[in-house]
Amino acid sequence: MQERPIRVGIIGPTGYAGMELIRIVIGHPHLELTYLAGSGNHSGTLAEVFPHFAHVAGPDIVTFDADVCAQACDLAFVALPSGESGKVAVELWRRGVRTVDLSGDLRLPSDVYQTWYGKEPLPDDVIQEAVYGLSEFNRSRIAAANLISNPGCYATAAILALKPIVSWSEARIQGPVAIDAKSGVTGAGRGLKSHLLFAELANDFYPYRVGSHQHTPEIEQALSHECTVLLTTQLLPVMRGILTSSYVTLSGDVRAEEIQGHYESFYQDEPFVHVLPYGQVPHMKSVVGTNHVQIGVHLNERTGILQVFSVIDNLGKGASGQAVQNVNIAYGFAETTGLTQEALWT
Ligand SMILES: NC(=O)c1ccc[n+]([C@@H]2O[C@H](COP(=O)([O-])OP(=O)(O)OC[C@H]3O[C@@H](n4cnc5c(N)ncnc54)[C@H](OP(=O)(O)O)[C@@H]3O)[C@@H](O)[C@H]2O)c1
């Protein structure tokens, strides 16, 4: 545990994940914002760029320079678009900065990345240096890591919902697991896209990237390839939040109470993962603005299908909250430090 605050840089502070990182870091007792940098398109003081941070003392937002960043920071969060983000994260890590990358660039082997992201991958020897930061399942490796690959938002919600059942020797899963996932529009980033304009998005609801969403292999990898998943992603006309509904066909005669008991004991020591009483379903509003996850299970005895529902905030546990949770693990702070915000609900 170190005495002086950790000097923090955020690369991509004008994106949605970066903005959320600023919000969390300024409330964290052991972190101090010392560097903010992006593409140079939105430079200036915090007050000039963000009216809601006008009262916050912090560094100006400048054009990114790896050497300047390495001088100014002990720790960097890199929240740039995939394809750019991993390269920048590796540049900083090579300069001795402890780095958390929020993109998909360091999560998958290079051939799988190329197939699902359609972008030039980083070399496998570099990717293998990055520790996958799904906090609940990788604490000892995260604690020792200098390069952390933060999980995807849909992936986080789906893996946390499915890990208990997929890894349970009592359950026999038949066939692929269907994951029906819905996200608020901040999941698509802040760049201008016509289909994300208010008049296009409001009052509408539809699936996208059917059969090809890049979080599919990340989920299967994190579930140790114990099952194949069919992920359907949909865009909700709300700002934040993800709801996943997973359908798992079970054979054998595991009873609903046993499954519920297993989920409860699986997550009983987790400060951020909450299994609801049997029969209750999670609401997105319960977790928006927080790092919390809520999970509800229901065994449909007529069909033998287990339904598992999970909710997260895509910018909280799905991105910036989990990134800070990983930093808390890496520096030996209490895992909830700086992450105690409760949901607004209304
Ligand atoms: N949004 C989510 O819910 C979410 C969840 C999990 C993970 N992620 C991941 O987090 C990363 C950021 O996502 P986001 O939604 O925050 O994206 P975003 O809103 O589109 O923001 C992207 C940021 O990257 C900066 N940028 C773009 N190209 C750059 C370059 N060449 N050099 C330096 N800065 C550059 C932009 O800066 P300027 O404003 O200066 O152009 C902006 O600050 C992505 O990899 C995404 O997959 C996002």
Side-chain angles (χ1 to χ4, degrees), residues 12-18 38-42 64 79-82 84-85 102-104 107 151-153 186-191 314-315 318-319:
T14 53
Y16 287 134
S39 65
N41 288 333
H42 303 100
F64 176 68
L80 305 184
S82 287
E84 287 296 323
S85 206
L102 278 80
S103 81
R107 296 179 197 149
C153 48
T186 51
R190 203 169 173 221
N314 55 295
L315 297 176

Side-chain angles (χ1 to χ4, degrees), residues 299-318:
L299 178 64
N300 186 285
E301 284 169 356
R302 194 173 61 81
T303 58
I305 294 175
L306 173 69
Q307 293 167 285
V308 188
F309 306 103
S310 66
V311 290
I312 62 168
D313 183 334
N314 55 295
L315 297 176
K317 182 66 177 168

Side-chain angles (χ1 to χ4, degrees), residues 8-72:
V8 174
I10 298 172
I11 321 304
T14 53
Y16 287 134
M19 286 162 65
E20 184 68 358
L21 278 164
I22 297 176
R23 192 171 83 91
I24 297 172
V25 168
I26 59 182
H28 193 295
H30 306 306
L31 304 181
E32 181 189 3
L33 265 187
T34 54
Y35 186 76
L36 296 171
S39 65
N41 288 333
H42 303 100
S43 299
T45 64
L46 266 183
E48 283 164 350
V49 179
F50 295 120
H52 62 298
F53 291 138
H55 58 284
V56 173
D60 291 354
I61 300 174
V62 297
T63 305
F64 176 68
D65 181 295
D67 291 322
V68 175
C69 180
Q71 285 291 320

